[in-house]
Amino acid sequence: MVFRSSYPDVDIPTQPVHELIFRGLSEKADRPALIDGISGLTVTYGEFAAAVDRLAAALAERGFVKGDVIGVFAPNTPAYAITLHGILRAGAVATTANALYTAEEVAGQLTDAGAKALFTVSAFLDRADAAAKLAGITDVFVLDKADGHTSLSDLLACTAPAPSISFDTAEDLAVLPYSSGTTGRAKGVMLTHRALVANIVQTDAMMDTTNIERVLAVLPFFHIYGMQVTLNHALAIGATVVTMPKFDLPEFLRVIAEYRTDRVYIAPPVAVALAKHPIVDSYDLSALKVLFSGAAPLDEELAEAVHKRLGCKIKQGYGMTEMAPVSHTIPDSRDDIAIGTVGLIVPNMVNKVVDLATGEELGVGERGELWCKGPNLMTGYLNNPEATAATLDSDGFLHTGDVAVIDENGIVSIVDRVKELIKYKGYQVPPAELEALLLTHPAIADAAVIGVHDAEGEEVPKAFVVPQAAATLTADEVMTFVAERVAPHKKIRVVEFLDAIPKSASGKILRKDLRAREAAR
Ligand code: AYL
């Protein structure tokens, strides 16, 4: 059985995404597009569009051409948005790296993506320069100022004409974020302009956009949620995006109060702070109309507590980087849909729910793997046909690795995850990467990593470690070894020593046995 969106299909504009965000420019030119929530710096739509043109001109003048990949490694600021869309306007493809990554992690992404240049900020230069060197990149631009580096404002001074690039939006890649998908290491997710534009108009159909004037962008633009849902959608509807470089509760509350943001996108850990922290009561959050959570499961009771305390609507969406990213969302107008669900299928998408053991298509109320199809799907993983074939089937369905149930009203609940992926505070932690790292430790003979829930109910990476014979190894040593080599969200937070890792006859780690072992504790 195929489940269809209950919404009529929406038309997908054939413009590239950097044009969609400037639709209606003549009316919105003087309106603020971007405000730096920390410094207050404001960029109007007119200034933003001009800057995007200038950056594209500067990139073209420097020899960058259509299809070139350019890295962005920076925190959220108005300059990030200019850089991202300037890269796209030049016909290039942006690969966005996690701001917390180590130099080696950034280098790994830049190398895999074949990036030819990198945009960063002065505060990240230690890591950015090291990463660029490892990846053989010589052009490292800074969004602010740094000695010895060309700055964004130098590039914006370019007087050459903006390049005229013709786009085939269904073919041409716009962004290349990294995701591990259902298995293995992080891979480049090939998202075309059409996939990005599609998801903006698909989700727009489920929102009450007349109630959106100012959107808070605290979720990172390097992640598809921050990039598409917070930034690009808000721009496409002419709202003002107020940026924050990182999450800090008092600053977050101050910015909501000061800029009177009416829509705030979060991941579930922020809801915990909003429900529990005493300082929340000291701020005027009355402008807030919708608090929207995505990227990891939102606990229903927690959401109710936040709703009671703040009085705003709480909504939830679900999706994957590979779907640009939203496949399901609770519509703004549907206060009858339980907040513990992920709501309805977005327009232009169809779903299947498939039996985990038999692959049989299931029906209403039955639990199985969620498969999704629509115009917002990736075209595949970069240079990785095997991983692509394992995720996108020949009928065009993406196998999410998440377990769902769809009820008689078409309301979807995500009830489990069967893929390897671990989510720590909404960030991806690919176990395969940590397992490979653990195996480089001389005292470790074998290792497996799964997600477990800590005392607060937060999902955290746990390592099962088999020490080498005669080795003395402590849990702290294991955790420190990993912590010194990965971004903070990928840290191993629990260690258990085993005599052997359970494996299948073909040598694959039997994660379900490890999960069952956890469940039995
Ligand atoms: P990625 N409930 C449960 N699990 C979720 C949810 C949710 N609401 N959203 C995402 N996940 C998990 O690529 C799920 O396992 O996400 C999914 O396969 O970093 C995985 O996270 C995808 O991880 C929005 C706002 C989607 C944000 C997103 C996040 C998409 C990026 C829809 O409205």
Side-chain angles (χ1 to χ4, degrees):
M1 162 170 190
V2 173
F3 296 86
R4 298 191 171 277
S5 172
S6 50
Y7 282 78
D9 278 0
V10 292
D11 285 334
I12 302 162
T14 54
Q15 314 166 273
V17 71
H18 55 271
E19 282 179 22
L20 182 82
I21 62 163
F22 293 123
R23 65 182 174 186
L25 184 60
S26 52
E27 277 125 63
K28 65 186 185 184
D30 296 330
R31 215 183 293 163
L34 302 158
I35 298 180
D36 185 323
I38 307 304
S39 70
L41 172 110
T42 300
V43 181
T44 65
Y45 274 95
E47 291 163 343
F48 182 20
V52 164
D53 267 0
R54 286 301 89 220
L55 178 55
L59 290 172
E61 193 179 56
R62 284 169 179 259
F64 293 97
V65 296
K66 192 171 167 190
D68 281 350
V69 176
I70 298 180
V72 185
F73 175 50
N76 288 7
T77 57
Y80 193 116
I82 293 168
T83 301
L84 173 68
H85 286 288
I87 290 170
L88 304 192
R89 167 75 180 79
V93 181
T95 191
T96 54
N98 189 312
L100 298 175
Y101 269 4
T102 64
E104 289 71 22
E105 288 168 327
V106 177
Q109 179 171 332
L110 295 174
T111 305
D112 188 75
K116 298 211 165 121
L118 178 63
F119 281 84
T120 190
V121 290
S122 54
F124 291 6
L125 268 178
D126 284 354
R127 289 176 292 153
D129 278 338
K133 199 164 172 216
L134 286 168
I137 290 172
T138 48
D139 278 326
V140 178
F141 305 115
V142 289
L143 304 190
D144 47 351
K145 296 269 177 208
D147 283 346
H149 289 272
T150 302
S151 69
L152 179 62
S153 59
D154 296 334
L155 295 171
L156 296 181
C158 174
T159 54
S164 112
I165 311 268
S166 65
F167 287 89
D168 176 347
T169 57
E171 288 288 326
D172 296 337
L173 298 187
V175 294
L176 201 53
Y178 272 62
S179 165
S180 77
T182 56
T183 182
R185 290 165 176 267
K187 299 170 278 291
V189 177
M190 297 193 286
L191 294 174
T192 60
H193 279 276
R194 178 175 151 88
L196 297 187
V197 166
N199 207 236
I200 292 167
V201 297
Q202 287 170 296
T203 50
D204 185 73
M206 298 168 88
M207 287 187 214
D208 174 10
T209 51
T210 55
N211 266 319
I212 309 177
E213 275 179 42
R214 279 172 302 278
V215 172
L216 182 65
V218 66
L219 296 175
F221 293 151
F222 65 74
H223 186 259
I224 195 76
Y225 182 9
M227 182 194 292
Q228 274 278 85
V229 181
T230 317
L231 179 66
N232 291 341
H233 176 267
L235 295 172
I237 63 166
T240 299
V241 176
V242 182
T243 65
M244 287 190 69
K246 60 175 198 276
F247 180 75
D248 168 80
L249 184 63
E251 275 293 271
F252 172 78
L253 298 167
R254 179 189 65 77
V255 172
I256 296 175
E258 183 173 335
Y259 293 97
R260 299 199 61 74
T261 53
D262 44 44
R263 195 175 183 95
V264 175
Y265 292 100
I266 60 163
V270 177
V272 178
L274 289 174
K276 298 193 175 151
H277 205 292
I279 66 161
V280 173
D281 294 327
S282 326
Y283 294 84
D284 172 11
L285 306 179
S286 60
L288 186 54
K289 291 180 184 146
V290 174
L291 187 71
F292 191 99
S293 176
L298 178 65
D299 181 74
E300 182 146 13
E301 269 175 44
L302 172 70
E304 282 301 336
V306 177
H307 171 64
K308 279 218 180 76
R309 191 172 192 191
L310 304 186
C312 61
K313 294 187 183 205
I314 318 275
K315 301 288 168 185
Q316 184 174 193
Y318 158 87
M320 286 171 65
T321 305
E322 289 82 348
M323 302 196 283
V326 187
S327 55
H328 298 78
T329 193
I330 304 180
D332 286 353
S333 63
R334 293 289 301 274
D335 295 335
D336 58 312
I337 296 184
I339 177 61
T341 74
V342 296
L344 304 173
I345 306 173
V346 302
N348 307 50
M349 280 203 103
V350 294
N351 288 178
K352 286 181 188 173
V353 176
V354 176
D355 188 281
L356 291 166
T358 64
E360 183 195 345
E361 287 177 25
L362 303 174
V364 168
E366 294 182 302
R367 192 186 159 105
E369 187 185 4
L370 179 66
W371 293 7
C372 301
K373 180 176 175 174
N376 49 316
L377 297 195
M378 66 167 179
T379 50
Y381 293 114
L382 182 71
N383 300 330
N384 200 332
E386 298 82 39
T388 303
T391 306
L392 279 176
D393 68 27
S394 53
D395 293 328
F397 280 87
L398 183 131
H399 300 194
T400 65
D402 293 306
V403 181
V405 176
I406 305 185
D407 78 7
E408 64 282 3
N409 299 313
I411 298 169
V412 181
S413 297
I414 304 296
V415 294
D416 199 1
R417 196 190 298 137
V418 284
K419 57 185 160 190
E420 287 174 16
L421 181 68
I422 300 166
K423 280 253 151 153
Y424 178 72
K425 300 198 169 175
Y427 290 113
Q428 290 202 3
V429 182
E433 202 180 297
L434 295 175
E435 287 156 2
L437 175 59
L438 287 165
L439 291 179
T440 66
H441 190 292
I444 295 180
D446 204 358
V449 175
I450 65 167
V452 298
H453 290 276
D454 69 7
E456 280 86 53
E458 185 69 60
E459 188 178 6
V460 296
K462 168 171 179 175
F464 293 90
V465 172
V466 180
Q468 293 283 12
T472 56
L473 184 66
T474 65
D476 277 346
E477 281 166 10
V478 173
M479 289 192 275
T480 306
F481 176 77
V482 174
E484 283 169 350
R485 289 166 177 81
V486 298
H489 64 280
K490 294 186 197 163
K491 284 183 192 171
I492 295 289
R493 291 169 200 267
V494 193
V495 176
E496 183 176 339
F497 293 103
L498 293 181
D499 293 333
I501 301 294
K503 293 205 177 146
S504 69
S506 63
K508 274 184 75 170
I509 296 170
L510 290 171
R511 287 173 211 282
K512 63 174 174 30
D513 289 9
L514 292 171
R515 289 195 190 115
R517 188 189 163 87
E518 271 312 301
R521 281 164 71 89

